[in-house]
Amino acid sequence: MAESGGGDLSRRRWKRHIVRQLQQRDRAQKARFLDLVQAYNKLLEKSSLDELTVQLQSPSVDHQMGGPACSPNHVSASCVPAWDPAAVLTSLQSRQEASRLQLDTLVGELAYKVYEWNQLLRAKDANLEEQKSRLATLSCQLLGLESRRCQLQYQAEELSCRNSSQKDAYNSLQRRFREQDGAFRWALEEGQRLLQGILQRKVDWAQRQNDQIERVKQTQLARDLQEATKSILRVKVESEKVKVEEWKLASRNDPEEKKGGEKLWKRPFRSASATSISTTRCKDVVKGWFDFRLKRGNSVSSGSVDRYCCLPSCVAASLPSQVTDEQEAHISEINAIAFSPNSGVLATGGMDRLVKLWNVVGGRLEKMQSLDGASGSITGIEFDPTGSHILAATYNNAAQLWKVGAGQVKAILTGHTDKVTAAKFRSTWHQAVTGSKDRTVKEWDLVKGACSRTIQVLSYCNDVVCCNNVIVSGHHDQMIRFWDSRDRRCTQVIPMEGKVTSLSLSPDQLRLLSCSRDNALKVIDLRMHAVQQVLRADGFKCGSDGTKAVFSPDRSYALVGSVDGTLFLWNMATGNLEISLAGVHRSSVNAVAWGPSGVHIGSVDQCRKLVLWR
């Protein structure tokens, strides 16, 4: 109501101001015309008097009267003129007529000016009426807008109240979430601690049992050896003829005996070498028994761990010269590509949440299988050393494990709080490492599907590689960090000149290839932990934070894709650009892969294209 009263007061003031302006204009115009009319009347009176005075005082009149002109200061009886009244009247009439004509002309001019002023006044009046009507219209619009403003203000106040209430509810839920999350983390840590305790107790118990069994076996073995050394075996020597006859007879009549499902052959005699135990034979038996213990290697409580050596299968990689196949592999951008260890299968992953497998047959790509079930876009994929499993990193804060041929997700590795940018196997398919934008690197036990270690980093990770017991991670803060699995601290840091987008380990694990946003590839000697080579080329530009570069299988070349779709390949021996492949990709190349056999190269881009080179 106070605002409405203020608006009425403002409108009344505005109207009074307009009325005062109009009154002032009327007074000004009226005063101007009044002066004009008064001047005109005075001019008429003055012209009549001047005419009469000039007529009376003119020399021509004096001449007609026949006498000298009389001074106006000396009027006497002798100066009284004697004139002709008719002539004087005629002269006055002519002069009056001329004056009248002049006055008529002046009156016409003044009348025309009055007409012009009247027209201007009418135009001003019409403009005033138009302004009044416009003012009324605007006043109506102002009233409507004022009511709309009041309505919107009421709605804003209502929304503000609702927002404050929802914010309070959100804050309370946030507090509850933090409390529940803290309790959950505590329970998870307690469960991990209890599990580790149980496993440690189990390992200790198994070790004690193994030690006890070992002592019993060693005691039994020592007792058997002592008994064997005390007993004397007598061998009866027969003639060669008798032995040959007995052997022939045994060969004809020796039947098969079955005992426990196994075939046993009766021997006609036992030789001295088979029945006697010498000191050398005892040593061989003991050595063989201990060799068996060493080969077995694991206690009864620990699962067997198969480790695979990365033996190079390529002696000399062939340089790509032509395109053997092109496919529109996915329905959206492709981010990752990888060859299987035998180079017979190619895997691709993209924004459509699919991992597709392709058979490489005769330089052609044949669709093999689609692995669905991913909870987010694929950022990276890798085969395990046997080629039977695929590990993929996704945007949905997780990594997923598939078994090739099964089609179903075997394990989902959750625990990151931001998208996972890299997922790599260790030396076996039982262990893996992931890097994420949540500034952590995690080690995983794939048998249990649980995180075995979390490494906190100062910057989010773009890629990781694994080398024996060392994990190497490339980060957004232009750093490459080295982590030892046996030490929780960072063992080495190598600074780069741009954000690290990818890491590639040479097959001999002696050199590391990094790609960064300063449009350069750097080769790092892992023995010296220093940059050995810097590879640059005119036209090469890193397209994104996920651009991948790779070594060739024979460690002779480095390959990467550029933002304009060109593939650049450097010779590692000379450090010079060997070849550049342009004209096939029309958009930024996200990733490249070189088959372990050294024959084929695969590349994928942002426009869903998969290209196989040879």
Side-chain angles (χ1 to χ4, degrees):
M1 295 301 291
E3 292 181 359
S4 177
D8 295 337
L9 181 59
S10 176
R11 286 194 293 274
R12 287 197 296 272
R13 288 179 179 174
W14 175 249
K15 290 180 180 180
R16 285 199 297 271
H17 176 70
I18 293 175
V19 170
R20 283 197 299 270
Q21 291 291 329
L22 293 175
Q23 290 175 354
Q24 185 177 358
R25 192 193 67 176
D26 292 339
R27 284 196 298 271
Q29 292 180 356
K30 185 176 180 182
R32 192 177 294 112
F33 282 108
L34 286 176
D35 294 340
L36 183 61
V37 172
Q38 291 176 3
Y40 175 69
N41 292 331
K42 289 180 180 180
L43 182 61
L44 289 178
E45 294 175 359
K46 186 176 180 181
S47 62
S48 299
L49 293 175
D50 289 342
E51 286 287 341
L52 183 58
T53 304
V54 171
Q55 183 67 30
L56 292 175
Q57 295 179 358
S58 63
S60 62
V61 175
D62 295 339
H63 179 73
Q64 287 178 4
M65 290 187 295
C70 295
S71 174
N73 298 325
H74 302 283
V75 180
S76 62
S78 61
C79 292
V80 175
W83 67 81
D84 189 1
V88 173
L89 182 61
T90 303
S91 177
L92 289 175
Q93 287 180 351
S94 63
R95 292 178 181 274
Q96 184 68 27
E97 186 66 25
S99 299
R100 190 179 63 80
L101 291 175
Q102 292 178 358
L103 291 174
D104 289 340
T105 302
L106 183 60
V107 168
E109 293 177 356
L110 293 175
Y112 182 73
K113 288 183 178 180
V114 171
Y115 175 74
E116 286 182 349
W117 284 104
N118 287 331
Q119 292 295 328
L120 184 60
L121 181 61
R122 291 191 186 94
K124 294 288 185 181
D125 291 338
N127 191 14
L128 179 61
E129 291 297 330
E130 182 181 356
Q131 293 292 337
K132 287 181 178 180
S133 62
R134 185 180 176 188
L135 179 61
T137 304
L138 292 175
S139 299
C140 295
Q141 292 180 2
L142 181 62
L143 291 175
L145 293 174
E146 187 69 23
S147 62
R148 179 63 177 168
R149 186 188 68 83
C150 294
Q151 183 180 1
L152 292 176
Q153 185 176 4
Y154 175 74
Q155 292 179 359
E157 291 176 354
E158 183 179 358
L159 290 175
S160 178
C161 294
R162 290 175 58 188
N163 187 23
S164 61
S165 62
Q166 290 182 359
K167 185 177 181 180
D168 294 338
Y170 171 77
N171 291 332
S172 63
L173 289 175
Q174 189 73 13
R175 287 192 297 271
R176 288 185 57 193
F177 169 75
R178 289 172 182 170
E179 294 173 357
Q180 295 292 333
D181 185 63
F184 170 74
R185 290 180 181 275
W186 181 85
L188 187 62
E189 293 176 357
E190 185 68 17
Q192 289 289 339
R193 187 181 63 80
L194 293 174
L195 180 62
Q196 292 295 333
I198 292 172
L199 292 177
Q200 186 62 37
R201 290 181 180 179
K202 187 176 180 181
V203 169
D204 295 340
W205 179 83
Q207 187 64 34
R208 288 194 300 271
Q209 293 293 325
N210 289 338
D211 294 341
Q212 185 177 358
I213 294 172
E214 184 75 18
R215 287 192 298 271
V216 171
K217 286 187 176 181
Q218 289 179 358
T219 305
Q220 184 66 30
L221 180 62
R223 187 181 301 111
D224 293 341
L225 289 174
Q226 290 178 0
E227 293 178 358
T229 55
K230 291 179 181 180
S231 61
I232 298 174
L233 182 63
R234 299 182 183 277
V235 179
K236 183 178 180 181
V237 180
E238 299 178 358
S239 63
E240 293 294 332
K241 184 177 180 181
V242 176
K243 291 181 180 178
V244 170
E245 291 178 355
E246 290 181 356
W247 175 259
K248 290 181 179 179
L249 182 63
S251 300
R252 288 194 303 268
N253 301 325
D254 192 11
E256 295 183 358
E257 294 183 1
K258 295 183 180 179
K259 182 178 181 180
E262 297 180 356
K263 295 181 179 180
L264 300 177
W265 295 88
K266 288 187 177 180
R267 298 180 62 181
F269 65 92
R270 293 182 180 269
S271 63
S273 62
T275 56
S276 63
I277 301 178
S278 62
T279 306
T280 305
R281 178 64 177 168
C282 293
K283 289 181 180 179
D284 292 339
V285 171
V286 174
K287 184 176 181 298
W289 188 80
F290 279 107
D291 288 342
F292 171 76
R293 291 286 300 171
L294 292 176
K295 288 179 183 178
R296 201 178 67 156
N298 298 302
S299 64
V300 295
S301 62
S302 60
S304 64
V305 178
D306 300 327
R307 294 189 175 270
Y308 307 94
C309 297
C310 297
L311 298 178
S313 59
C314 173
V315 178
S318 60
L319 295 178
S321 59
Q322 61 180 347
V323 176
T324 61
D325 198 359
E326 294 183 33
Q327 297 282 344
E328 189 169 328
H330 293 256
I331 61 175
S332 59
E333 180 179 351
I334 308 175
N335 294 327
I337 182 172
F339 278 96
S340 64
N342 61 0
S343 301
V345 179
L346 181 66
T348 58
M351 301 293 287
D352 57 357
R353 303 183 179 185
L354 291 177
V355 174
K356 293 189 177 182
L357 302 182
W358 309 81
N359 276 324
V360 182
V361 180
R364 306 295 295 178
L365 294 172
E366 298 178 357
K367 189 172 181 181
M368 173 182 172
Q369 186 181 7
S370 291
L371 304 177
D372 55 0
S375 54
S377 301
I378 307 298
T379 59
I381 53 177
E382 189 186 42
F383 282 92
D384 74 325
T386 64
S388 60
H389 292 83
I390 291 180
L391 184 64
T394 68
Y395 271 23
N396 199 30
N397 310 342
Q400 298 190 211
L401 180 69
W402 286 273
K403 184 174 178 61
V404 177
Q408 298 292 329
V409 177
K410 186 173 182 179
I412 300 178
L413 311 179
T414 59
H416 287 287
T417 59
D418 205 338
K419 68 178 183 180
V420 179
T421 54
K424 300 293 178 67
F425 285 101
R426 298 293 297 269
S427 56
T428 73
W429 74 266
H430 302 290
Q431 297 174 329
V433 177
T434 58
S436 172
K437 290 191 69 174
D438 63 358
R439 296 180 174 86
T440 62
V441 175
K442 291 181 179 290
E443 297 183 57
W444 301 87
D445 185 344
L446 298 182
V447 176
K448 300 176 183 177
C451 177
S452 59
R453 180 189 178 193
T454 298
I455 302 172
Q456 299 291 336
V457 196
L458 298 176
S459 177
Y460 69 75
C461 177
N462 281 332
D463 200 3
V464 296
V465 293
C466 302
C467 174
N468 295 330
N469 293 323
V470 178
I471 300 171
V472 187
S473 56
H475 297 273
H476 193 265
D477 62 353
Q478 306 179 12
M479 294 291 180
I480 295 177
R481 293 177 170 87
F482 293 77
W483 311 88
D484 196 326
S485 296
R486 298 160 295 184
D487 193 352
R488 293 189 175 273
R489 295 174 298 176
C490 180
T491 59
Q492 187 74 28
V493 176
I494 300 178
M496 297 287 109
E497 297 178 1
K499 292 181 284 189
V500 181
T501 64
S502 73
L503 299 173
S504 177
L505 192 64
S506 63
D508 58 3
Q509 297 187 357
L510 296 180
R511 289 184 290 180
L512 180 69
L513 178 67
S514 70
C515 178
S516 54
R517 292 307 297 269
D518 60 344
N519 304 324
L521 303 184
K522 297 178 179 63
V523 181
I524 299 171
D525 189 345
L526 295 180
R527 293 167 293 185
M528 303 298 295
H529 289 90
V531 177
Q532 185 179 19
Q533 285 180 309
V534 178
L535 308 177
R536 297 182 186 271
D538 294 336
F540 169 64
K541 186 176 181 182
C542 187
S544 67
D545 289 348
T547 301
K548 306 299 182 185
V550 295
F551 273 120
S552 64
D554 62 349
R555 309 175 299 280
S556 300
Y557 304 100
L559 178 67
V560 71
S562 180
V563 69
D564 59 353
T566 305
L567 299 185
F568 290 85
L569 190 145
W570 285 269
N571 190 319
M572 299 301 298
T574 63
N576 298 325
L577 183 68
E578 188 75 19
I579 57 173
S580 60
L581 306 173
V584 180
H585 290 285
R586 301 296 181 184
S587 61
S588 178
V589 177
N590 287 333
V592 292
W594 207 315
S597 63
V599 178
H600 293 102
I601 288 176
S603 57
V604 292
D605 62 18
Q606 293 181 356
C607 290
R608 310 183 299 274
K609 181 181 284 188
L610 165 62
V611 180
L612 186 66
W613 305 80
R614 184 171 183 176

